[in-house]
């Protein structure tokens, strides 16, 4: 039974059952519900992409809205991973490889492995032989795997934009090893703009589209040998390099000056101060990423997301503009960084800052 013939209400009911089980941390209920649906004729790909994937998306959304805890988010993600494994082991998912070989991996530093796992399982269902390497794969290990197995394609996943510099190095290394690279995940932008910028051979917005494109089109051809500086000539100004290397010092300078610029910080407890330091580190890391790809939007989107996260948790989002002003003074001799920070301050003027608690 394909997604075209299964009734949408039935899918919705199964999704609700899986969500409830994931939220309770009930692995047995989650896997039983999915397997029972497969026994009754649900297509394995539909189970993966139209049931498990939406549930995982809801997990992330509920965490962002502060309606579930970090522990609940981790537990629910683990349940969804077990549901994927149950689908993969079910007779409905048994296929014989009839096509080439694809290596699926996450960029080094990327811990969100479920999207890559979903892609791997869908490609298996479509007849590919798949080597799934999982989360956080160091580039040298990935290249060693390529040399030992000779895949026709590497599918590289990343959801966090700050992994883009690493993704770029990995893409270039795979291509130098003679293997084309398909990329996907939120890190590459909703329209794949950063995939094109970093000269990936192909991009897909989701697992279904990736599988469809591979079925309908020839495998992409690798680009000639190239270097990052050729892809991104703006890196010659060294702004990215300096900001990335001095991130600890920038975070410390911002933290030391923030209490004066934002007096509410004087009432923070130890835990809230630790979280403030973490937020500052993320801000500088996203600034460095924006410098790497020369796109202020990756920074402004992160700031707006952060403001929403802080507000949902009752943490003062009003601290963000002073942080950007402090960083601007620290980086006064860096014109691209200054322009990105000014764009960040401008984007925050449209974000409402309700009164927030000062206790941790």
């Amino acid at each position: 039974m394909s997604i075209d013939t299964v009734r949408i209400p039935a899918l919705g009911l199964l999704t609700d059952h899986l969500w409830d089980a994931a939220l309770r941390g009930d692995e047995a209920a989650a896997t039983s519900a999915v397997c029972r649906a497969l026994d009754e004729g649900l297509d394995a790909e539909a189970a993966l992409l139209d049931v498990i994937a939406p549930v995982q998306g809801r997990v992330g959304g509920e965490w962002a809205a502060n309606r579930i805890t970090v522990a609940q988010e981790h537990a629910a993600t683990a349940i969804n991973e077990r549901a994927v494994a149950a689908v993969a082991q079910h007779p409905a998912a048994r296929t014989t490889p009839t096509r080439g070989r694809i290596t699926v991996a996450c960029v080094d530093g990327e811990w969100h492995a479920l999207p890559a796992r979903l892609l791997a399982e869908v490609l298996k269902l479509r007849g590919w032989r798949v080597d799934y390497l999982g989360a956080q794969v160091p580039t040298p290990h990935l290249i060693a795997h390529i040399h030992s197995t000779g895949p026709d394609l590497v599918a590289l996943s990343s959801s966090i934009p700050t992994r883009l510099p690493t993704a770029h190095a990995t893409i270039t290394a795979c291509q130098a090893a003679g293997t084309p690279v398909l990329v996907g995940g939120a890190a590459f932008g909703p329209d794949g703009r950063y995939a094109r910028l970093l000269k990936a051979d192909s991009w897909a917005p989701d697992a279904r589209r990736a599988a469809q494109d591979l079925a309908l089109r020839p495998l992409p051809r690798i680009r000639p040998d190239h270097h990052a500086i050729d892809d991104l000539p703006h890196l010659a100004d060294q702004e990215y390099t300096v900001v990335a290397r001095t991130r600890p010092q920038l975070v410390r300078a911002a933290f030391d000056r923030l209490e004066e610029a934002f007096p509410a910080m004087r009432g923070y407890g130890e835990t809230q101060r630790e979280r403030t330091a973490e937020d500052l580190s993320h801000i500088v890391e996203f600034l460095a990423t924006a410098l790497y790809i020369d796109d202020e939007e990756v920074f402004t989107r992160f700031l707006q997301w952060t403001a929403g996260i802080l507000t949902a948790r009752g943490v003062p989002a009003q601290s963000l503009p002073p942080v950007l002003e402090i960083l601007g003074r620290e980086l006064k001799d860096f014109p691209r960084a200054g322009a990105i920070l000014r764009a960040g301050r401008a984007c925050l003027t449209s974000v409402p800052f309700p009164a927030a608690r000062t206790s941790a």
Side-chain angles (χ1 to χ4, degrees):
M1 183 182 300
S2 70
I3 185 60
D4 296 323
T5 57
V6 71
R7 291 190 299 175
I8 298 302
L11 276 180
L13 186 60
L14 176 57
T15 301
D16 289 341
H17 284 324
L18 182 58
W19 166 254
D20 291 339
L23 201 59
R24 296 195 310 272
D26 191 338
E27 178 182 323
T31 56
S32 294
V34 170
C35 289
R36 185 166 56 252
L38 293 170
D39 291 340
E40 294 172 355
L42 178 63
D43 178 71
E45 186 172 310
L48 293 168
L49 301 185
D50 300 300
V51 177
I52 299 173
V55 168
Q56 185 61 27
R58 185 175 175 183
V59 169
E62 292 295 291
W63 171 83
N66 202 31
R67 289 190 286 265
I68 63 173
T69 66
V70 171
Q72 286 176 305
E73 183 268 332
H74 284 190
T77 298
I79 295 297
N80 284 330
E81 289 172 345
R82 294 300 301 154
V84 172
V87 173
Q89 295 299 316
H90 194 275
R94 290 176 186 165
T95 55
T96 300
T98 57
R99 310 197 67 181
R101 186 170 191 167
I102 296 178
T103 294
V104 178
C106 293
V107 174
D108 194 6
E110 176 58 70
W111 286 100
H112 298 85
L114 192 56
R117 178 69 188 278
L118 289 169
L119 173 63
E121 298 305 330
V122 168
L123 292 176
K124 290 177 185 177
L125 291 171
R126 299 290 187 106
W128 293 91
R129 180 180 177 186
V130 178
D131 299 318
Y132 172 65
L133 305 188
Q136 189 162 295
V137 181
T139 300
H141 295 288
L142 176 58
I143 299 306
H145 178 81
I146 289 173
H147 285 309
S148 65
T149 61
D152 299 293
L153 180 78
V154 167
L156 198 61
S157 175
S158 184
S159 63
I160 306 172
T162 52
R163 301 278 74 82
L164 286 173
T166 301
H168 190 196
T170 305
I171 291 166
T172 303
C174 291
Q175 292 168 336
T179 308
V181 181
L182 162 73
V183 299
F188 296 98
D191 56 358
R193 69 183 69 175
Y194 306 133
R196 294 188 292 273
L197 180 71
L198 303 183
K199 300 301 187 291
D201 299 290
S202 186
W203 167 82
D206 53 51
R208 182 171 280 127
R209 175 69 176 276
Q212 290 172 345
D213 286 350
L214 289 171
L216 297 174
R217 303 175 187 173
L219 287 171
R221 301 178 61 183
I222 64 168
R223 299 180 70 251
D225 187 34
H226 65 285
H227 304 282
I229 195 65
D230 300 324
D231 298 337
L232 307 175
H234 56 267
L235 293 179
D237 66 12
Q238 296 295 303
E239 289 200 30
Y240 162 74
T241 301
V242 172
V243 171
R245 288 180 177 175
T246 62
R247 178 158 63 110
Q249 296 94 313
L250 288 169
V251 170
R252 171 52 60 187
F255 188 88
D256 290 345
R257 292 168 174 77
L258 184 57
E259 187 170 298
E260 179 180 350
F262 184 63
M265 187 175 166
R266 295 167 187 161
Y268 283 12
E270 182 179 353
T271 299
Q272 208 164 8
R273 285 178 173 271
E274 290 175 356
R275 290 176 179 171
T276 298
E278 292 173 359
D279 290 339
L280 290 173
S281 183
H282 292 318
I283 288 170
V284 176
E285 190 174 18
F286 269 85
L287 173 61
T289 301
L291 288 167
Y292 189 87
I293 60 177
D294 199 29
D295 188 340
E296 66 187 30
E297 285 189 24
V298 74
F299 186 66
T300 57
R301 285 196 299 267
F302 168 72
L303 287 177
Q304 291 172 325
W305 178 84
T306 299
I309 293 291
L310 292 175
T311 299
R313 283 154 178 75
V315 178
Q318 298 99 320
S319 63
L320 292 174
V323 167
L324 302 185
E325 293 174 6
I326 293 168
L327 290 174
R329 290 194 293 271
E330 292 293 320
L331 297 169
K332 61 181 182 301
D333 296 325
F334 296 79
R336 284 202 299 127
I340 292 169
L341 289 166
R342 288 192 295 274
R345 291 198 298 272
C347 86
L348 289 174
T349 60
S350 62
V351 177
F353 292 143
R357 299 190 305 266
T358 57
S359 59

